[in-house]
Amino acid sequence: MTATKRTIEHGKRDGFASLSGGGLKQDSFPLRLFAKGNAKHWNPADIDFTQDAADFAAMTDDERWQCCALAAQFLAGEESVTQDLQPFVAAMAAEGRFADEMYLTQFVFEEAKHTQAFRLWFDAVGMTSDLHEYIEHNEHYMEIFTEALPESLYALGDDPSPRNQIRASVTYNHIVEGTLALTGYFAWHKICAERGILPGLQQVIKHIGDDERRHMAWGTFTCRRHVAADDGLYDVVDERMQELMVPAMGVVTGTVDRFPEGRVPFDIDINELAEYAMDKLGRRLGAIESARGADLFVIDVDAEPEALEEQFHAEDQRELVAAAAG
Ligand SMILES: [Fe+2]
Ligand SMILES: [Fe+2]
């Protein structure tokens, strides 16, 4: 008996992926991420920010400004990614990839939790007035979050083609998460770990960083499977990275450009951050490139994108232990 090919796309459904022969492929990459995420659930409301409020009150005005600017970029960024991932969920349904759709629903939920966590932190330290001034001075930030990110994601609504999926994933997973957020976490860790301050925020960053490793791994996986299926699409990865490199670096340096060199609060070293961002980007690009010519069945279960993020994490941990000791 031959299996009937059924569709699960919205408005065209004539069957159900979960009822099909063989069931859901639990060892596929997205379902492994889904299971991992379920096991790592955390609740932002459980985090105690009492000491953070005291540490915040004890800062100098410049330090407080710098802290708010970084946290406001995160808060607005988490809200943006919560909203802007949703066209990708629909694109996976259009492609009949229910396992990816399942994983992306968890992914969206986690971004909403991240938004909640940063908002709770601002509330706890008493910053309840309008916070837009902390992001609007950074023109590159505004360009990425009000133009590049939504434009590339909502393009999937009209055309969820592999090309558009790559442009969306590079923008979302590799630039916004893989470069901007990752560099931001690194900055937070260094500020907090070296001074032993903001313990609540340290916990938030640890949980969020952990979630983000799965998000970025999914992005790498998605680009890999398209590049493995059509080698010409590697150029789309490269092209989108090039388009966003300058604004992405502008966001990183724009975070501290209000202060003269050598006077940046918390001794933030912008060159170190920029170098960190570029290194991660280059290596993630390498992981996508390694999928060129690969077998799609291998890509579907290959753990390389996950292993890469775990390796980055282990490197960061070593660096932060050294920073805390020094
Ligand atoms: Fe997030
Ligand atoms: Fe994320």
Side-chain angles (χ1 to χ4, degrees):
M1 200 174 82
T2 52
T4 317
K5 177 98 177 89
R6 296 183 188 272
T7 180
I8 60 163
E9 189 181 346
H10 303 151
K12 297 180 189 163
R13 181 189 286 287
D14 67 358
F16 300 85
S18 57
L19 295 183
S20 300
L24 298 174
K25 238 179 110 196
Q26 302 292 350
D27 67 340
S28 70
F29 192 79
L31 282 185
R32 285 208 318 265
L33 291 181
F34 186 68
K36 222 178 183 181
N38 281 341
K40 292 196 161 201
H41 180 71
W42 59 285
N43 183 0
D46 289 343
I47 295 174
D48 181 359
F49 294 120
T50 317
Q51 182 60 40
D52 292 54
D55 291 341
F56 187 76
M59 287 176 190
T60 65
D61 286 346
D62 282 352
E63 285 172 345
R64 249 193 308 273
W65 192 94
Q66 188 58 57
C67 224
C68 285
L70 202 49
Q73 284 191 6
F74 268 102
L75 179 51
E78 300 289 6
E79 177 179 330
S80 297
V81 295
T82 305
Q83 189 169 64
D84 295 345
L85 189 61
Q86 297 182 33
F88 228 139
V89 188
M92 292 301 94
E95 214 185 312
R97 296 184 65 90
F98 186 64
D100 288 272
E101 208 180 340
M102 281 175 70
Y103 175 61
L104 290 188
T105 61
Q106 182 189 68
F107 188 147
V108 174
F109 166 60
E110 287 171 351
E111 300 300 10
K113 271 203 312 195
H114 301 171
T115 311
Q116 181 196 16
F118 276 102
R119 187 61 252 184
L120 289 175
W121 182 82
F122 269 115
D123 294 346
V125 301
M127 293 296 291
T128 52
S129 57
D130 193 281
L131 299 168
H132 283 90
E133 63 170 300
Y134 292 107
I135 59 162
E136 281 175 347
H137 66 96
N138 190 331
E139 58 178 305
H140 292 294
Y141 182 91
M142 298 306 283
E143 179 188 340
I144 289 197
F145 286 94
T146 67
E147 293 166 34
L149 179 69
E151 275 167 19
S152 61
L153 269 293
Y154 285 91
L156 296 172
D158 297 327
D159 173 15
S161 61
R163 181 175 193 279
N164 278 352
Q165 285 187 35
I166 286 181
R167 288 181 61 83
S169 172
V170 169
T171 311
Y172 191 116
N173 304 115
H174 298 96
I175 296 291
V176 169
E177 294 183 315
T179 309
L180 302 184
L182 211 66
T183 308
Y185 300 138
F186 189 66
W188 275 128
H189 277 307
K190 291 208 102 176
I191 291 170
C192 297
E194 280 174 16
R195 288 168 179 75
I197 55 168
L198 307 175
L201 191 64
Q202 287 196 45
Q203 273 187 61
V204 168
I205 300 295
K206 186 187 153 295
H207 284 302
I208 292 184
D210 206 59
D211 292 344
E212 291 301 329
R213 284 200 292 285
R214 293 189 300 282
H215 300 177
M216 294 180 287
W218 182 83
T220 302
F221 161 76
T222 298
C223 290
R224 278 167 64 92
R225 70 178 176 84
H226 287 308
V227 164
D230 177 356
D231 194 64
L233 288 171
Y234 182 74
D235 292 342
V236 181
V237 177
D238 203 34
E239 175 194 280
R240 188 59 174 158
M241 291 260 191
Q242 302 301 333
E243 280 171 22
L244 294 174
M245 200 77 88
V246 169
M249 285 301 144
V251 174
V252 175
T253 53
T255 309
V256 297
D257 65 4
R258 147 191 250 257
F259 301 101
E261 218 182 304
R263 298 265 313 278
V264 180
F266 305 113
D267 302 321
I268 293 174
D269 180 347
I270 206 62
N271 294 326
E272 182 188 32
L273 288 187
E275 220 172 87
Y276 177 90
M278 290 304 291
D279 171 63
K280 295 296 176 288
L281 202 57
R283 287 161 72 189
R284 203 164 282 118
L285 192 63
I288 300 173
E289 193 171 13
S290 72
R292 300 182 82 167
D295 185 325
L296 269 177
F297 289 101
V298 174
I299 295 286
D300 205 40
V301 292
D302 186 3
E304 183 175 333
E306 257 175 304
L308 181 74
E309 301 305 332
E310 293 302 333
Q311 190 186 332
F312 287 168
H313 179 56
E315 289 172 15
D316 286 353
Q317 287 305 105
R318 277 198 293 278
E319 176 115 358
L320 292 167
V321 166

